[in-house]
Amino acid sequence: MLAHGVTKSLQPVSALCIKRMTNGIQYESGVFGSYSLMDLMPKTLEGQITMEKTPSYFVTREAPARISAMSRETKLIVVVRDPVTRAISDYTQTLSKKPDIPSFESLTFKNRTTGLIDTSWSAIQIGIYAKHLDNWLQYFPMDQILFVSGERLISDPAGELGRVQDFLGLKRIITDKHFYFNQTKGFPCLKKAEGSSKPHCLGKTKGRTHPNINPEVVQRLRDFYRPFNMKFYQMTGHNFGWD
Ligand SMILES: Nc1ncnc2c1ncn2[C@@H]1O[C@H](COP(=O)(O)OS(=O)(=O)O)[C@@H](OP(=O)(O)O)[C@H]1O
């Protein structure tokens, strides 16, 4: 979005504080003192948009009330992907940091014999999008929330970013022309990085190879998520095509 020249990111230190503030709107620490979310936001001039990115907000129970208290006009953008793939991606990320964790299959079930899924495992819990959205809708109307399809972000990045630009009231200046498909990476990349003439792909931690998961376990997870996905499609008025 920096291509627009009207967007502004938080400074790293502020972003760090805000990230940690998910545990308390009045984040307190001996070093930083006590801040409200607004105090940490950089000043925004007319024509600028301040953006803050913290994936865990969507699943943090206290976040909607706190963000609404800061500004009820805040626009919210959430990237969602098939919750089964999301759970495997989440596991892959943890595995890359802690190679000794138990298998995906054993973490998925509370009881493998009965097929009871462990919904307290965060990799599973996060994908119950309808439940998290319910919490946000207590504070924000649906038209202030944009759900971006993680799948379409890969198959048609310009189209999906078109929706983001429309939602933010920006001119559609990011188009197909900005992207190319990088065969080595297996993902779309930018033809030119910001402030450079060189192509730019996302880093090694984005687009990792996932481990093979037992197809029966994948099927059980598909069955588990189906009703929640249906509810989510109904709430958002958008079929994400995960079933
Ligand atoms: N263009 C492009 N290049 C690389 N990766 C892409 C791209 N578009 C979407 N993706 C998908 O983004 C997934 C990683 O994003 P995350 O949600 O984990 O990012 S974040 O750290 O939470 O910000 C990552 O998930 P994994 O495939 O599981 O690694 C990708 O599938």
Side-chain angles (χ1 to χ4, degrees):
M1 299 310 288
L2 290 170
H4 278 275
V6 292
T7 52
K8 193 170 174 182
S9 295
L10 288 172
Q11 295 304 306
V13 166
S14 306
L16 174 73
C17 294
I18 287 177
K19 222 166 188 177
R20 296 169 72 173
M21 278 179 58
T22 50
N23 293 325
I25 191 80
Q26 290 292 319
Y27 173 68
E28 291 188 48
S29 118
V31 182
F32 293 114
S34 167
Y35 295 93
S36 79
L37 195 53
M38 202 59 140
D39 293 332
L40 295 169
M41 288 287 185
K43 300 278 174 280
T44 306
L45 300 171
E46 183 96 26
Q48 286 184 318
I49 299 173
T50 300
M51 301 189 75
E52 200 258 316
K53 184 204 93 142
T54 303
S56 60
Y57 280 171
F58 184 55
V59 299
T60 302
R61 206 141 55 85
E62 302 79 7
R66 290 171 182 171
I67 294 174
S68 164
M70 179 197 74
S71 165
R72 293 180 60 187
E73 267 105 74
T74 307
K75 289 189 177 184
L76 307 153
I77 302 174
V78 189
V79 181
V80 284
R81 74 196 290 193
D82 179 339
V84 179
T85 324
R86 208 216 71 80
I88 300 170
S89 170
D90 198 328
Y91 175 78
T92 309
Q93 183 167 351
T94 310
L95 194 64
S96 73
K97 293 179 194 151
K98 297 182 198 159
D100 296 334
I101 54 168
S103 68
F104 180 86
E105 285 82 349
S106 62
L107 289 167
T108 297
F109 295 106
K110 256 196 177 131
N111 183 326
R112 182 76 199 254
T113 320
T114 60
L116 186 66
I117 288 182
D118 188 352
T119 53
S120 69
W121 183 29
S122 62
I124 302 284
Q125 170 71 220
I126 293 171
I128 309 175
Y129 303 136
K131 182 184 139 234
H132 307 303
L133 177 55
D134 240 343
N135 189 27
W136 285 88
L137 290 176
Q138 310 302 312
Y139 294 88
F140 291 93
M142 199 55 223
D143 64 4
Q144 260 169 259
I145 314 176
L146 179 72
F147 286 94
V148 171
S149 156
E151 287 79 14
R152 289 190 63 80
L153 210 48
I154 297 169
S155 63
D156 178 19
E160 217 46 21
L161 282 168
R163 294 182 61 231
V164 173
Q165 291 168 95
D166 293 348
F167 176 70
L168 294 176
L170 297 171
K171 224 172 108 188
R172 283 197 175 207
I173 64 166
I174 302 168
T175 64
D176 270 334
K177 288 196 303 237
H178 290 82
F179 299 95
Y180 74 102
F181 189 82
N182 183 307
Q183 295 293 345
T184 316
K185 176 85 182 163
F187 283 92
C189 296
L190 282 174
K191 283 185 187 160
K192 277 187 207 167
E194 186 61 31
S196 144
S197 55
K198 290 194 189 140
H200 177 72
C201 294
L202 293 181
K204 282 198 194 98
T205 62
K206 313 284 175 195
R208 294 185 177 101
T209 307
H210 293 174
N212 286 326
I213 304 298
N214 180 334
E216 278 172 30
V217 174
V218 171
Q219 191 52 48
R220 177 69 192 94
L221 278 174
R222 295 226 163 281
D223 296 342
F224 167 77
Y225 278 119
R226 191 166 301 111
F228 298 113
N229 288 346
M230 295 304 149
K231 170 100 189 292
F232 184 63
Y233 298 168
Q234 241 173 36
M235 293 167 92
T236 56
H238 188 95
N239 182 338
F240 288 84
W242 297 321
D243 300 280

